[in-house]
Amino acid sequence: MAEVTKQEVVTREPEWMEKLRQDYLKNVASLTSQNLKPPEYKVAGLSPEQQEAVIMAREGIGSYAPYLEQAGKAYGQAGGLYAGTTGAYDPNSAQAYMNPYQAAVTQRATEEMSRNADIQQQTLASQAVKSGAFGGSRFGVQQAELGRGLADIQSQRIMQDYSQNYSQAQQAAMGAFQNQQARAQSSAAGIAGLGQQTANLGQQTSALGQGDTSFLYNMGQNLTAQNQKELDATRLNQQQSAYAPYQQMSYYGDVLNRTPSGQTSTTQTSAPSPSLFSQVGGLGVTGLAAYNAFK
């Protein structure tokens, strides 16, 4: 029966390398057993400037309302004034502009006409007496014509004076009416313009307030952005600090795997011990070989 021989080859790194690998695995096991909590994300809140801008914006809502209310009242007043200028002219208003002295002038004129007529009557009577026709029909006709002419002249003078007085009164009343209408329209236009200016002032006030609010909010937004950058930088630093041991361990493992080291191979051979018969046979063979070699 053939004998079986066993040969075992063991390849090992140097002891210092094995020691490094064992320590590395222990450190990895200890590090990964820890409960790692990544740093939380944080959002920067509104800056004080933004908060103040929000308050200003809330308080500024409807700030134009009082101005619009005043403008509406002004427009209403202007409309009322202008509506009053659309009425027709009243001819009866000319009575207020009649010359109160015209009647006295007319009365004086008619009295003067009567006095002149009396003089003419006396002259006519004197002539009739001289001619012997006083009391006759011709004298009566002349008297009648003289009286009728006086009445016509006086009537014409009265009508002429009244017509002239009335015409002047109408012109004065019409001029006063037109002037009053023009003043009312001018006042209405001025009040309407004042209302427009008041409305514009309200709009400008609101716009200026919004401009201040926008400027303050934008400035606060820049400050908030800066605060957010600081929070992000803080979180990044915390994250780097938390993951630094893992990165160092990974780097150490890469270096350890790439470090060359000598290996030692050990060969162990094992065979069964020979029997007595094989030992005697072996001696005989050995002796025979030596004899043949001697010969």
Side-chain angles (χ1 to χ4, degrees), residues 127-140:
Q127 291 177 353
V129 170
K130 290 180 180 181
S131 62
F134 184 78
S137 59
R138 183 178 179 183
F139 176 72

Side-chain angles (χ1 to χ4, degrees), residues 15-289:
E15 293 183 0
W16 62 270
M17 180 60 73
E18 291 184 354
K19 180 67 168 57
L20 291 177
R21 292 187 184 278
Q22 292 176 358
D23 294 340
Y24 172 74
L25 294 177
K26 290 180 181 180
N27 291 332
V28 170
S30 176
L31 184 62
T32 55
S33 64
Q34 299 177 4
N35 186 14
L36 178 63
K37 294 182 179 180
E40 298 178 352
Y41 286 95
K42 293 183 179 181
V43 178
L46 295 178
S47 65
E49 290 77 10
Q50 285 178 302
Q51 296 176 2
E52 184 177 357
V54 171
I55 295 175
M56 290 175 59
R58 186 181 296 112
E59 293 177 349
I61 295 176
S63 61
Y64 54 85
Y67 297 93
L68 291 183
E69 183 178 359
Q70 294 180 6
K73 293 180 179 179
Y75 280 120
Q77 184 179 359
L81 285 174
Y82 189 82
T85 64
T86 58
Y89 168 71
D90 184 10
N92 295 326
S93 62
Q95 296 294 333
Y97 295 90
M98 294 289 289
N99 188 351
Y101 302 102
Q102 186 64 48
V105 173
T106 303
Q107 180 67 27
R108 182 67 179 270
T110 56
E111 290 177 354
E112 184 65 22
M113 291 178 183
S114 296
R115 189 179 69 82
N116 292 331
D118 291 341
I119 294 174
Q120 292 178 2
Q121 286 283 359
Q122 293 176 2
T123 302
L124 181 63
S126 177
Q127 291 177 353
V129 170
K130 290 180 180 181
S131 62
F134 184 78
S137 59
R138 183 178 179 183
F139 176 72
V141 172
Q142 289 179 346
Q143 277 189 326
E145 289 294 332
L146 184 61
R148 186 167 50 252
L150 175 62
D152 290 341
I153 293 174
Q154 288 179 337
S155 177
Q156 291 177 3
R157 178 60 186 267
I158 291 173
M159 293 301 296
Q160 181 181 357
D161 289 350
Y162 181 80
S163 176
Q164 183 179 2
N165 191 6
Y166 183 77
S167 177
Q168 292 176 352
Q170 286 286 359
Q171 291 179 359
M174 180 65 74
F177 175 77
Q178 292 177 349
N179 292 335
Q180 186 273 335
Q181 298 294 80
R183 287 194 300 270
Q185 291 178 357
S186 178
S187 298
I191 295 175
L194 181 61
Q196 182 64 44
Q197 292 178 1
T198 303
N200 293 338
L201 181 60
Q203 185 178 5
Q204 292 175 1
T205 301
S206 178
L208 290 174
Q210 292 177 0
D212 292 341
T213 301
S214 178
F215 173 77
L216 186 61
Y217 188 86
N218 291 335
M219 182 176 64
Q221 190 174 20
N222 293 333
L223 295 176
T224 301
Q226 178 62 30
N227 294 335
Q228 184 64 49
K229 290 180 181 179
E230 294 177 0
L231 291 175
D232 293 342
T234 301
R235 182 185 179 278
L236 182 60
N237 292 334
Q238 293 175 351
Q239 183 178 4
Q240 290 179 347
S241 298
Y243 285 98
Y246 295 89
Q247 294 174 352
Q248 294 175 356
M249 191 65 65
S250 176
Y251 177 76
Y252 181 74
D254 292 340
V255 174
L256 186 63
N257 291 330
R258 296 176 183 179
T259 300
S261 61
Q263 294 182 349
T264 303
S265 298
T266 304
T267 302
Q268 296 180 353
T269 302
S270 61
S273 300
S275 62
L276 180 60
F277 177 77
S278 62
Q279 290 178 357
V280 174
L283 290 175
V285 172
T286 301
L288 179 59

